[in-house]
Amino acid sequence: MKVKRLLANMDVHDVGRARSFYHDVLGLELLMDHGWIHTYGTAAQMGVQISFATEGGSGTAAPDLSIEVDDVDEAFRRMTAAGFVAEYGPVDEPWGVRRFYVRDPFGKLVNILAHSA
C-alpha cells in the first residue's frame, strides 16, 4: 500500500471566505465546489509530507499549514496588498528557507516559504 495523496481539511463555518487567501492571493485553483466543501489546489505534482512539531523554529509557534511557493517576497507583497498582516518575517532561516507567517481568514497560522538557492 502506498499513500497517493495527502489533503489538509479545515473545519470552518463559511467555505467562501477561503477564496481571498487561497485563490486570489496564492493563486490556487478551485478544484471542487459542493457548497459545503471548497477544495483548492493545482495540477502540479508535489511530494507527500506531514510534519509534527513542538514549535515552528526560531522560537515561533508551530504553524497549522506550510505552503511552499517559488517567490516568498512576491507572496508577501500579495498578502500585504490584500490586507493580510504577517506575524513573522519575511526572514531567511539558518536551515535554508526564506519564510513568513500569516493568518488565513479562519485564524489558521500559515507558514509561507521557499527553499533558498
Side-chain angles (χ1 to χ4, degrees), residues 82-106:
F84 295 101
V85 178
E87 292 195 6
Y88 176 74
V91 63
D92 294 312
E93 298 289 8
W95 55 88
V97 299
R98 181 163 176 75
R99 69 181 182 156
F100 67 94
Y101 281 8
V102 64
R103 292 208 180 264
D104 77 0
F106 310 104

Side-chain angles (χ1 to χ4, degrees), residues 13-66:
H13 296 291
D14 179 359
V15 296
R17 291 184 58 209
R19 183 176 182 84
S20 65
F21 189 91
Y22 293 97
H23 178 272
D24 297 345
V25 176
L26 290 175
L28 294 174
E29 300 170 43
L30 180 61
L31 301 176
M32 182 175 64
D33 178 355
H34 292 304
W36 55 272
I37 185 172
H38 286 182
T39 300
Y40 292 89
T42 176
Q45 295 295 315
M46 299 178 198
V48 174
Q49 295 181 324
I50 186 168
S51 297
F52 302 90
T54 59
E55 67 161 285
S58 296
T60 65
D64 295 299
L65 185 65
S66 292

